[in-house]
Amino acid sequence: MTNGSKDLIFAADLGGTHLRVATVDARGKIHFRAKQHTPQGTDPNDIVGAIVRAVNEYRKTAGAASEGLKAVSLVVPGTVRAEEGTVVKAPNLPCLDGFPLASALTNELGLPAILENDANAAAVGELWQGAAQGCRTIICVTLGTGVGGGIILDGELWRGVDGAAAEIGHMCVDPFGGVACTCGSRGCLEVFASATAIVRMAREASPRHPDSLLHASGEVTAQAIFDAGLKGDELALEIFRRMGVYLGIGLANLINILNPEMIVIAGGVVNGWDLFERDMLQQVEERAFPLLAARVKIERAKCGDDAGLLGAARLAI
Ligand SMILES: [Zn+2]
């Protein structure tokens, strides 16, 4: 879509809590940035309005340079029909379910607009500007409040026939665990490897560790558990070891099915890498085919919170 050096994409990352926006050029450089709370109402036009205001604010700030704006590319926390620009289902923003968000933005702004799922956009961002630069076939696993996934095969994002592919977080890794998942199934990777899961597992295991530092800390968050683990707290270490085992089982399955060059692990839980890496890699070694396990690189993401914005921009370019 863009060729000129001054061309820009207005990328917007629509989270359940925050709406982050940036302008990105064709080389992946971010210029303007802004952040606000995501409107929480029941009217999807509130979200359209927030994005339109952000674009107008940028136009006012940038003046003549805003002439370079060629498209709007939006990252959505849910399933989208990318070719239609429609949100299918966004569990944290249910007002968008079934809403033609891309055409609503085009009508308001006079610019082409596209949508992409957040985990897919993050995979594209990491391939373009992050850990997976130069790769062709990668899997990106995002460990946040939930567990998301993006799969790129031979340089192409794999969306599946309904745009709902790569739900890596809902791969079953424990049929006997009985832990219910928000998707309606049980024993999904998400209930063992997300930030939410780490907090739940710590709570469940805490009676067995009366001396744990976590009893003294106020609100137990994944970050607090990680901090305790760094101080050698046995409860925290046990939780990250368990999480690493389940994640490794999931990755081994993906490796055997897709034979990727790289798996990029993104999301806030990556902060705990040093505490789960060994158990994750051990499961991969034990369960994946040796040839495939030797080939794949498992790396931490490099784009941080910008992966989705960068991926969205790349998809628009
Ligand atoms: Zn699930």
PDB file of all heavy atoms in Angstrom, residues 190-221:
ATOM      1  N   GLU A 190      -3.848 -22.507  28.595  1.00  0.00           N
ATOM      2  CA  GLU A 190      -4.104 -21.209  29.240  1.00  0.00           C
ATOM      3  C   GLU A 190      -4.313 -21.316  30.756  1.00  0.00           C
ATOM      4  O   GLU A 190      -3.958 -20.390  31.481  1.00  0.00           O
ATOM      5  CB  GLU A 190      -5.332 -20.559  28.585  1.00  0.00           C
ATOM      6  CG  GLU A 190      -5.696 -19.214  29.162  1.00  0.00           C
ATOM      7  CD  GLU A 190      -6.627 -18.415  28.256  1.00  0.00           C
ATOM      8  OE1 GLU A 190      -6.238 -18.108  27.121  1.00  0.00           O
ATOM      9  OE2 GLU A 190      -7.758 -18.133  28.681  1.00  0.00           O
ATOM     10  N   VAL A 191      -4.879 -22.425  31.224  1.00  0.00           N
ATOM     11  CA  VAL A 191      -5.123 -22.539  32.668  1.00  0.00           C
ATOM     12  C   VAL A 191      -3.875 -22.980  33.444  1.00  0.00           C
ATOM     13  O   VAL A 191      -3.929 -23.171  34.661  1.00  0.00           O
ATOM     14  CB  VAL A 191      -6.338 -23.449  33.011  1.00  0.00           C
ATOM     15  CG1 VAL A 191      -7.607 -22.902  32.400  1.00  0.00           C
ATOM     16  CG2 VAL A 191      -6.102 -24.886  32.604  1.00  0.00           C
ATOM     17  N   PHE A 192      -2.745 -23.109  32.720  1.00  0.00           N
ATOM     18  CA  PHE A 192      -1.482 -23.448  33.386  1.00  0.00           C
ATOM     19  C   PHE A 192      -0.348 -22.467  33.071  1.00  0.00           C
ATOM     20  O   PHE A 192       0.653 -22.458  33.770  1.00  0.00           O
ATOM     21  CB  PHE A 192      -1.021 -24.858  32.980  1.00  0.00           C
ATOM     22  CG  PHE A 192      -1.997 -25.933  33.360  1.00  0.00           C
ATOM     23  CD1 PHE A 192      -2.756 -26.575  32.398  1.00  0.00           C
ATOM     24  CD2 PHE A 192      -2.168 -26.286  34.692  1.00  0.00           C
ATOM     25  CE1 PHE A 192      -3.669 -27.560  32.758  1.00  0.00           C
ATOM     26  CE2 PHE A 192      -3.076 -27.267  35.051  1.00  0.00           C
ATOM     27  CZ  PHE A 192      -3.830 -27.906  34.090  1.00  0.00           C
ATOM     28  N   ALA A 193      -0.489 -21.680  32.014  1.00  0.00           N
ATOM     29  CA  ALA A 193       0.671 -20.879  31.581  1.00  0.00           C
ATOM     30  C   ALA A 193       0.377 -19.387  31.461  1.00  0.00           C
ATOM     31  O   ALA A 193       1.257 -18.631  31.062  1.00  0.00           O
ATOM     32  CB  ALA A 193       1.194 -21.415  30.236  1.00  0.00           C
ATOM     33  N   SER A 194      -0.826 -18.949  31.790  1.00  0.00           N
ATOM     34  CA  SER A 194      -1.131 -17.510  31.741  1.00  0.00           C
ATOM     35  C   SER A 194      -0.794 -16.867  33.089  1.00  0.00           C
ATOM     36  O   SER A 194      -0.577 -17.567  34.095  1.00  0.00           O
ATOM     37  CB  SER A 194      -2.616 -17.309  31.451  1.00  0.00           C
ATOM     38  OG  SER A 194      -3.398 -17.871  32.492  1.00  0.00           O
ATOM     39  N   ALA A 195      -0.786 -15.544  33.130  1.00  0.00           N
ATOM     40  CA  ALA A 195      -0.584 -14.839  34.405  1.00  0.00           C
ATOM     41  C   ALA A 195      -1.688 -15.206  35.392  1.00  0.00           C
ATOM     42  O   ALA A 195      -1.437 -15.423  36.584  1.00  0.00           O
ATOM     43  CB  ALA A 195      -0.566 -13.328  34.152  1.00  0.00           C
ATOM     44  N   THR A 196      -2.915 -15.309  34.886  1.00  0.00           N
ATOM     45  CA  THR A 196      -4.051 -15.698  35.723  1.00  0.00           C
ATOM     46  C   THR A 196      -3.811 -17.079  36.338  1.00  0.00           C
ATOM     47  O   THR A 196      -4.095 -17.309  37.518  1.00  0.00           O
ATOM     48  CB  THR A 196      -5.329 -15.758  34.847  1.00  0.00           C
ATOM     49  OG1 THR A 196      -5.330 -14.635  33.971  1.00  0.00           O
ATOM     50  CG2 THR A 196      -6.585 -15.782  35.680  1.00  0.00           C
ATOM     51  N   ALA A 197      -3.287 -17.994  35.521  1.00  0.00           N
ATOM     52  CA  ALA A 197      -3.050 -19.369  35.983  1.00  0.00           C
ATOM     53  C   ALA A 197      -1.959 -19.413  37.045  1.00  0.00           C
ATOM     54  O   ALA A 197      -2.061 -20.161  38.020  1.00  0.00           O
ATOM     55  CB  ALA A 197      -2.653 -20.244  34.791  1.00  0.00           C
ATOM     56  N   ILE A 198      -0.928 -18.607  36.854  1.00  0.00           N
ATOM     57  CA  ILE A 198       0.179 -18.599  37.821  1.00  0.00           C
ATOM     58  C   ILE A 198      -0.333 -18.143  39.192  1.00  0.00           C
ATOM     59  O   ILE A 198      -0.004 -18.745  40.220  1.00  0.00           O
ATOM     60  CB  ILE A 198       1.323 -17.716  37.277  1.00  0.00           C
ATOM     61  CG1 ILE A 198       2.028 -18.495  36.163  1.00  0.00           C
ATOM     62  CG2 ILE A 198       2.302 -17.327  38.383  1.00  0.00           C
ATOM     63  CD1 ILE A 198       2.962 -17.684  35.345  1.00  0.00           C
ATOM     64  N   VAL A 199      -1.179 -17.129  39.195  1.00  0.00           N
ATOM     65  CA  VAL A 199      -1.748 -16.649  40.458  1.00  0.00           C
ATOM     66  C   VAL A 199      -2.645 -17.726  41.080  1.00  0.00           C
ATOM     67  O   VAL A 199      -2.571 -18.002  42.277  1.00  0.00           O
ATOM     68  CB  VAL A 199      -2.532 -15.337  40.225  1.00  0.00           C
ATOM     69  CG1 VAL A 199      -3.307 -14.938  41.474  1.00  0.00           C
ATOM     70  CG2 VAL A 199      -1.586 -14.215  39.803  1.00  0.00           C
ATOM     71  N   ARG A 200      -3.485 -18.384  40.252  1.00  0.00           N
ATOM     72  CA  ARG A 200      -4.362 -19.428  40.770  1.00  0.00           C
ATOM     73  C   ARG A 200      -3.553 -20.595  41.347  1.00  0.00           C
ATOM     74  O   ARG A 200      -3.837 -21.087  42.444  1.00  0.00           O
ATOM     75  CB  ARG A 200      -5.293 -19.949  39.662  1.00  0.00           C
ATOM     76  CG  ARG A 200      -6.387 -20.885  40.200  1.00  0.00           C
ATOM     77  CD  ARG A 200      -6.956 -21.823  39.132  1.00  0.00           C
ATOM     78  NE  ARG A 200      -6.017 -22.866  38.785  1.00  0.00           N
ATOM     79  CZ  ARG A 200      -5.427 -22.996  37.600  1.00  0.00           C
ATOM     80  NH1 ARG A 200      -5.687 -22.163  36.638  1.00  0.00           N
ATOM     81  NH2 ARG A 200      -4.562 -23.964  37.372  1.00  0.00           N
ATOM     82  N   MET A 201      -2.538 -21.037  40.607  1.00  0.00           N
ATOM     83  CA  MET A 201      -1.739 -22.183  41.062  1.00  0.00           C
ATOM     84  C   MET A 201      -1.016 -21.850  42.367  1.00  0.00           C
ATOM     85  O   MET A 201      -0.883 -22.708  43.247  1.00  0.00           O
ATOM     86  CB  MET A 201      -0.742 -22.607  39.977  1.00  0.00           C
ATOM     87  CG  MET A 201      -1.423 -23.212  38.751  1.00  0.00           C
ATOM     88  SD  MET A 201      -0.275 -24.036  37.596  1.00  0.00           S
ATOM     89  CE  MET A 201       0.658 -22.656  36.960  1.00  0.00           C
ATOM     90  N   ALA A 202      -0.560 -20.587  42.494  1.00  0.00           N
ATOM     91  CA  ALA A 202       0.122 -20.188  43.732  1.00  0.00           C
ATOM     92  C   ALA A 202      -0.850 -20.225  44.911  1.00  0.00           C
ATOM     93  O   ALA A 202      -0.506 -20.679  46.002  1.00  0.00           O
ATOM     94  CB  ALA A 202       0.722 -18.791  43.569  1.00  0.00           C
ATOM     95  N   ARG A 203      -2.074 -19.767  44.653  1.00  0.00           N
ATOM     96  CA  ARG A 203      -3.080 -19.768  45.719  1.00  0.00           C
ATOM     97  C   ARG A 203      -3.380 -21.211  46.144  1.00  0.00           C
ATOM     98  O   ARG A 203      -3.440 -21.535  47.331  1.00  0.00           O
ATOM     99  CB  ARG A 203      -4.345 -19.063  45.226  1.00  0.00           C
ATOM    100  CG  ARG A 203      -5.188 -18.470  46.346  1.00  0.00           C
ATOM    101  CD  ARG A 203      -6.496 -17.863  45.829  1.00  0.00           C
ATOM    102  NE  ARG A 203      -6.302 -16.856  44.810  1.00  0.00           N
ATOM    103  CZ  ARG A 203      -6.861 -16.888  43.589  1.00  0.00           C
ATOM    104  NH1 ARG A 203      -7.649 -17.882  43.236  1.00  0.00           N
ATOM    105  NH2 ARG A 203      -6.648 -15.930  42.731  1.00  0.00           N
ATOM    106  N   GLU A 204      -3.532 -22.090  45.150  1.00  0.00           N
ATOM    107  CA  GLU A 204      -3.851 -23.489  45.454  1.00  0.00           C
ATOM    108  C   GLU A 204      -2.732 -24.179  46.233  1.00  0.00           C
ATOM    109  O   GLU A 204      -2.988 -25.001  47.108  1.00  0.00           O
ATOM    110  CB  GLU A 204      -4.108 -24.263  44.146  1.00  0.00           C
ATOM    111  CG  GLU A 204      -5.431 -23.914  43.491  1.00  0.00           C
ATOM    112  CD  GLU A 204      -5.531 -24.447  42.065  1.00  0.00           C
ATOM    113  OE1 GLU A 204      -4.550 -25.027  41.538  1.00  0.00           O
ATOM    114  OE2 GLU A 204      -6.609 -24.246  41.461  1.00  0.00           O
ATOM    115  N   ALA A 205      -1.483 -23.834  45.885  1.00  0.00           N
ATOM    116  CA  ALA A 205      -0.345 -24.535  46.502  1.00  0.00           C
ATOM    117  C   ALA A 205       0.085 -23.905  47.818  1.00  0.00           C
ATOM    118  O   ALA A 205       0.868 -24.493  48.560  1.00  0.00           O
ATOM    119  CB  ALA A 205       0.837 -24.554  45.531  1.00  0.00           C
ATOM    120  N   SER A 206      -0.421 -22.704  48.123  1.00  0.00           N
ATOM    121  CA  SER A 206       0.129 -21.961  49.274  1.00  0.00           C
ATOM    122  C   SER A 206      -0.028 -22.677  50.623  1.00  0.00           C
ATOM    123  O   SER A 206       0.868 -22.566  51.466  1.00  0.00           O
ATOM    124  CB  SER A 206      -0.442 -20.539  49.328  1.00  0.00           C
ATOM    125  OG  SER A 206      -1.799 -20.564  49.662  1.00  0.00           O
ATOM    126  N   PRO A 207      -1.114 -23.467  50.880  1.00  0.00           N
ATOM    127  CA  PRO A 207      -1.179 -24.154  52.189  1.00  0.00           C
ATOM    128  C   PRO A 207      -0.015 -25.122  52.424  1.00  0.00           C
ATOM    129  O   PRO A 207       0.348 -25.385  53.571  1.00  0.00           O
ATOM    130  CB  PRO A 207      -2.507 -24.917  52.123  1.00  0.00           C
ATOM    131  CG  PRO A 207      -3.314 -24.187  51.102  1.00  0.00           C
ATOM    132  CD  PRO A 207      -2.340 -23.684  50.102  1.00  0.00           C
ATOM    133  N   ARG A 208       0.579 -25.617  51.343  1.00  0.00           N
ATOM    134  CA  ARG A 208       1.709 -26.542  51.485  1.00  0.00           C
ATOM    135  C   ARG A 208       3.029 -25.807  51.757  1.00  0.00           C
ATOM    136  O   ARG A 208       4.062 -26.437  51.956  1.00  0.00           O
ATOM    137  CB  ARG A 208       1.843 -27.410  50.222  1.00  0.00           C
ATOM    138  CG  ARG A 208       0.783 -28.515  50.156  1.00  0.00           C
ATOM    139  CD  ARG A 208       1.017 -29.461  48.992  1.00  0.00           C
ATOM    140  NE  ARG A 208       0.521 -28.902  47.743  1.00  0.00           N
ATOM    141  CZ  ARG A 208       1.269 -28.535  46.719  1.00  0.00           C
ATOM    142  NH1 ARG A 208       2.572 -28.689  46.775  1.00  0.00           N
ATOM    143  NH2 ARG A 208       0.720 -28.033  45.635  1.00  0.00           N
ATOM    144  N   HIS A 209       2.976 -24.476  51.687  1.00  0.00           N
ATOM    145  CA  HIS A 209       4.202 -23.677  51.880  1.00  0.00           C
ATOM    146  C   HIS A 209       3.950 -22.569  52.894  1.00  0.00           C
ATOM    147  O   HIS A 209       3.905 -21.396  52.542  1.00  0.00           O
ATOM    148  CB  HIS A 209       4.645 -23.064  50.541  1.00  0.00           C
ATOM    149  CG  HIS A 209       5.036 -24.070  49.510  1.00  0.00           C
ATOM    150  ND1 HIS A 209       6.310 -24.581  49.404  1.00  0.00           N
ATOM    151  CD2 HIS A 209       4.305 -24.675  48.541  1.00  0.00           C
ATOM    152  CE1 HIS A 209       6.364 -25.456  48.397  1.00  0.00           C
ATOM    153  NE2 HIS A 209       5.151 -25.526  47.861  1.00  0.00           N
ATOM    154  N   PRO A 210       3.803 -22.936  54.172  1.00  0.00           N
ATOM    155  CA  PRO A 210       3.463 -21.925  55.181  1.00  0.00           C
ATOM    156  C   PRO A 210       4.531 -20.842  55.345  1.00  0.00           C
ATOM    157  O   PRO A 210       4.234 -19.752  55.819  1.00  0.00           O
ATOM    158  CB  PRO A 210       3.312 -22.748  56.474  1.00  0.00           C
ATOM    159  CG  PRO A 210       4.001 -24.045  56.208  1.00  0.00           C
ATOM    160  CD  PRO A 210       3.889 -24.292  54.745  1.00  0.00           C
ATOM    161  N   ASP A 211       5.774 -21.139  54.918  1.00  0.00           N
ATOM    162  CA  ASP A 211       6.850 -20.153  55.104  1.00  0.00           C
ATOM    163  C   ASP A 211       7.036 -19.246  53.878  1.00  0.00           C
ATOM    164  O   ASP A 211       7.947 -18.421  53.860  1.00  0.00           O
ATOM    165  CB  ASP A 211       8.184 -20.873  55.391  1.00  0.00           C
ATOM    166  CG  ASP A 211       8.106 -21.695  56.670  1.00  0.00           C
ATOM    167  OD1 ASP A 211       7.335 -21.288  57.563  1.00  0.00           O
ATOM    168  OD2 ASP A 211       8.776 -22.746  56.742  1.00  0.00           O
ATOM    169  N   SER A 212       6.196 -19.416  52.879  1.00  0.00           N
ATOM    170  CA  SER A 212       6.410 -18.650  51.638  1.00  0.00           C
ATOM    171  C   SER A 212       6.328 -17.148  51.867  1.00  0.00           C
ATOM    172  O   SER A 212       5.502 -16.649  52.641  1.00  0.00           O
ATOM    173  CB  SER A 212       5.353 -19.048  50.604  1.00  0.00           C
ATOM    174  OG  SER A 212       5.419 -18.172  49.498  1.00  0.00           O
ATOM    175  N   LEU A 213       7.186 -16.427  51.144  1.00  0.00           N
ATOM    176  CA  LEU A 213       7.187 -14.953  51.188  1.00  0.00           C
ATOM    177  C   LEU A 213       5.847 -14.395  50.716  1.00  0.00           C
ATOM    178  O   LEU A 213       5.467 -13.286  51.068  1.00  0.00           O
ATOM    179  CB  LEU A 213       8.281 -14.412  50.256  1.00  0.00           C
ATOM    180  CG  LEU A 213       9.722 -14.776  50.587  1.00  0.00           C
ATOM    181  CD1 LEU A 213      10.641 -14.407  49.424  1.00  0.00           C
ATOM    182  CD2 LEU A 213      10.154 -14.056  51.855  1.00  0.00           C
ATOM    183  N   LEU A 214       5.136 -15.195  49.928  1.00  0.00           N
ATOM    184  CA  LEU A 214       3.895 -14.686  49.325  1.00  0.00           C
ATOM    185  C   LEU A 214       2.787 -14.499  50.362  1.00  0.00           C
ATOM    186  O   LEU A 214       1.856 -13.734  50.125  1.00  0.00           O
ATOM    187  CB  LEU A 214       3.426 -15.624  48.224  1.00  0.00           C
ATOM    188  CG  LEU A 214       4.325 -15.617  46.989  1.00  0.00           C
ATOM    189  CD1 LEU A 214       4.006 -16.775  46.068  1.00  0.00           C
ATOM    190  CD2 LEU A 214       4.199 -14.293  46.244  1.00  0.00           C
ATOM    191  N   HIS A 215       2.897 -15.185  51.493  1.00  0.00           N
ATOM    192  CA  HIS A 215       1.875 -14.987  52.524  1.00  0.00           C
ATOM    193  C   HIS A 215       1.921 -13.564  53.069  1.00  0.00           C
ATOM    194  O   HIS A 215       0.921 -13.027  53.527  1.00  0.00           O
ATOM    195  CB  HIS A 215       2.067 -15.987  53.677  1.00  0.00           C
ATOM    196  CG  HIS A 215       1.797 -17.401  53.262  1.00  0.00           C
ATOM    197  ND1 HIS A 215       0.543 -17.827  52.875  1.00  0.00           N
ATOM    198  CD2 HIS A 215       2.616 -18.471  53.146  1.00  0.00           C
ATOM    199  CE1 HIS A 215       0.620 -19.109  52.544  1.00  0.00           C
ATOM    200  NE2 HIS A 215       1.860 -19.512  52.692  1.00  0.00           N
ATOM    201  N   ALA A 216       3.129 -12.970  53.022  1.00  0.00           N
ATOM    202  CA  ALA A 216       3.305 -11.630  53.598  1.00  0.00           C
ATOM    203  C   ALA A 216       2.944 -10.533  52.592  1.00  0.00           C
ATOM    204  O   ALA A 216       2.572  -9.439  52.977  1.00  0.00           O
ATOM    205  CB  ALA A 216       4.738 -11.455  54.057  1.00  0.00           C
ATOM    206  N   SER A 217       3.063 -10.843  51.272  1.00  0.00           N
ATOM    207  CA  SER A 217       2.795  -9.782  50.293  1.00  0.00           C
ATOM    208  C   SER A 217       1.288  -9.566  50.183  1.00  0.00           C
ATOM    209  O   SER A 217       0.490 -10.465  50.443  1.00  0.00           O
ATOM    210  CB  SER A 217       3.406 -10.132  48.938  1.00  0.00           C
ATOM    211  OG  SER A 217       2.895 -11.334  48.461  1.00  0.00           O
ATOM    212  N   GLY A 218       0.898  -8.372  49.820  1.00  0.00           N
ATOM    213  CA  GLY A 218      -0.517  -8.026  49.744  1.00  0.00           C
ATOM    214  C   GLY A 218      -1.203  -8.798  48.636  1.00  0.00           C
ATOM    215  O   GLY A 218      -1.427 -10.006  48.747  1.00  0.00           O
ATOM    216  N   GLU A 219      -1.512  -8.109  47.544  1.00  0.00           N
ATOM    217  CA  GLU A 219      -2.162  -8.765  46.416  1.00  0.00           C
ATOM    218  C   GLU A 219      -1.141  -9.647  45.705  1.00  0.00           C
ATOM    219  O   GLU A 219      -0.043  -9.201  45.363  1.00  0.00           O
ATOM    220  CB  GLU A 219      -2.693  -7.706  45.443  1.00  0.00           C
ATOM    221  CG  GLU A 219      -3.658  -8.265  44.429  1.00  0.00           C
ATOM    222  CD  GLU A 219      -3.848  -7.334  43.240  1.00  0.00           C
ATOM    223  OE1 GLU A 219      -3.294  -6.217  43.256  1.00  0.00           O
ATOM    224  OE2 GLU A 219      -4.538  -7.724  42.301  1.00  0.00           O
ATOM    225  N   VAL A 220      -1.469 -10.935  45.531  1.00  0.00           N
ATOM    226  CA  VAL A 220      -0.542 -11.847  44.864  1.00  0.00           C
ATOM    227  C   VAL A 220      -0.757 -11.735  43.354  1.00  0.00           C
ATOM    228  O   VAL A 220      -1.812 -12.078  42.833  1.00  0.00           O
ATOM    229  CB  VAL A 220      -0.743 -13.293  45.349  1.00  0.00           C
ATOM    230  CG1 VAL A 220       0.149 -14.247  44.569  1.00  0.00           C
ATOM    231  CG2 VAL A 220      -0.428 -13.396  46.837  1.00  0.00           C
ATOM    232  N   THR A 221       0.272 -11.204  42.677  1.00  0.00           N
ATOM    233  CA  THR A 221       0.224 -11.093  41.217  1.00  0.00           C
ATOM    234  C   THR A 221       1.304 -11.996  40.639  1.00  0.00           C
ATOM    235  O   THR A 221       2.178 -12.478  41.370  1.00  0.00           O
ATOM    236  CB  THR A 221       0.539  -9.649  40.780  1.00  0.00           C
ATOM    237  OG1 THR A 221       1.856  -9.319  41.266  1.00  0.00           O
ATOM    238  CG2 THR A 221      -0.460  -8.653  41.357  1.00  0.00           C
TER     239      THR A 221
END
